[in-house]
Amino acid sequence: KAGVTQTPRYLIKTRGQQVTLSCSPISGHRSVSWYQQTPGQGLQFLFEYFSETQRNKGNFPGRFSGRQFSNSRSEMNVSTLELGDSALYLCASSESPGLAVFNTGELFFGEGSRLTVL
Amino acid sequence: AQTVTQSQPEMSVQEAETVTLSCTYDTSESNYYLFWYKQPPSRQMILVIRQEAYKQQNATENRFSVNFQKAAKSFSLKISDSQLGDTAMYFCAFPPFQGAQKLVFGQGTRLTINP
């Protein structure tokens, strides 16, 4: 079974631009979540989607948004980029609670998209 | 609030030694899972081991084992016979509530195994 796939792996943008990152979950996984990883703040939860609906959102400004498609693939978008948005953006997928006998909360991560804002 | 604290930002040991990474957490839940994830340099994060809070027996996975102290809210990871491939960032994490599809992570411990 293929793992979580994130594209692009690396990208460089300038301040004020916007960026879209893509994530394809493990086949059969219907929940997709996004995390921002920086040296200073560590891993911070951005949002989580299930069945095309955002169920949880972290403490990030409205410039950060996302969506999920009917095939469970997800995208996140950051508009009006700032230098502080430079980070590794990790996508993770998991089984939905409705399918798991006991939802362990285990996440399966992609390799991440490393965004550099100049 | 659910929090996770890893008090050791960096650790370094010689190959074949045993090393223990510390983690404490805070939660009001009575039943939950705890995880240790490993993030090798420039590679994806993978699950190392998990512990179910209602199980008193400590989880083990080959050279990896945990010391779970529920009352103390402590969840340390022991790596025996460490190998060069164990060099990575290690994160302690847990879901903030049962059924949550997100994890709260500690700040991580950067572990270096020296030859």
Side-chain angles (χ1 to χ4, degrees):
Chain A
K1 187 182 280 190
V4 178
T5 303
Q6 291 189 246
T7 57
R9 291 289 313 281
Y10 303 91
L11 64 167
I12 300 174
K13 295 285 187 179
T14 57
R15 280 181 298 175
Q17 287 187 310
Q18 66 114 26
V19 65
T20 299
L21 309 177
S22 178
C23 172
S24 294
I26 291 173
S27 178
H29 284 190
R30 296 167 62 190
S31 173
V32 173
S33 51
W34 290 87
Y35 291 79
Q36 181 196 63
Q37 185 178 15
T38 59
Q41 299 297 317
L43 281 148
Q44 305 263 308
F45 171 75
L46 279 158
F47 27 64
E48 183 253 340
Y49 288 87
F50 173 71
S51 291
E52 303 178 63
T53 301
Q54 186 182 90
R55 298 196 303 171
N56 292 286
K57 189 177 192 304
N59 188 26
F60 278 83
R63 300 184 297 107
F64 292 80
S65 63
R67 59 178 175 170
Q68 186 181 35
F69 302 95
S70 59
N71 61 358
S72 294
R73 190 178 70 85
S74 177
E75 289 181 348
M76 68 162 283
N77 182 278
V78 188
S79 62
T80 318
L81 284 166
E82 301 177 358
L83 296 179
D85 297 334
S86 294
L88 180 66
Y89 290 88
L90 295 172
C91 170
S93 73
S94 63
E95 297 176 352
S96 63
L99 293 176
V101 174
F102 190 108
N103 180 26
T104 67
E106 179 180 351
L107 299 180
F108 297 84
F109 287 86
E111 294 188 356
S113 293
R114 185 166 294 282
L115 170 65
T116 300
V117 182
L118 302 177
Chain B
Q2 292 85 358
T3 59
V4 181
T5 302
Q6 293 179 249
S7 59
Q8 305 148 312
E10 294 189 31
M11 297 187 72
S12 178
V13 300
Q14 297 298 120
E15 193 175 8
E17 290 183 343
T18 294
V19 59
T20 299
L21 281 58
S22 301
C23 172
T24 58
Y25 61 94
D26 186 26
T27 182
S28 56
E29 296 282 331
S30 59
N31 192 21
Y32 46 89
Y33 280 82
L34 292 159
F35 303 93
W36 278 99
Y37 280 86
K38 167 186 177 181
Q39 187 179 39
S42 301
R43 293 179 61 186
Q44 70 190 112
M45 193 171 318
I46 57 173
L47 179 67
V48 174
I49 197 167
R50 71 179 175 209
Q51 173 77 40
E52 299 170 67
Y54 67 90
K55 287 187 176 180
Q56 293 187 336
Q57 185 175 9
N58 290 325
T60 62
E61 288 287 343
N62 300 313
R63 298 182 295 107
F64 298 87
S65 62
V66 301
N67 183 4
F68 174 52
Q69 303 288 331
K70 190 174 183 179
K73 295 183 179 176
S74 170
F75 180 59
S76 60
L77 174 69
K78 186 172 84 170
I79 306 174
S80 303
D81 186 27
S82 57
Q83 301 175 358
L84 298 179
D86 296 332
T87 293
M89 282 289 290
Y90 286 82
F91 294 94
C92 177
F94 76 112
F97 52 86
Q98 192 177 76
Q101 295 288 9
K102 66 177 183 179
L103 294 177
V104 175
F105 286 87
Q107 286 292 93
T109 296
R110 184 178 303 279
L111 176 64
T112 301
I113 309 299
N114 299 305

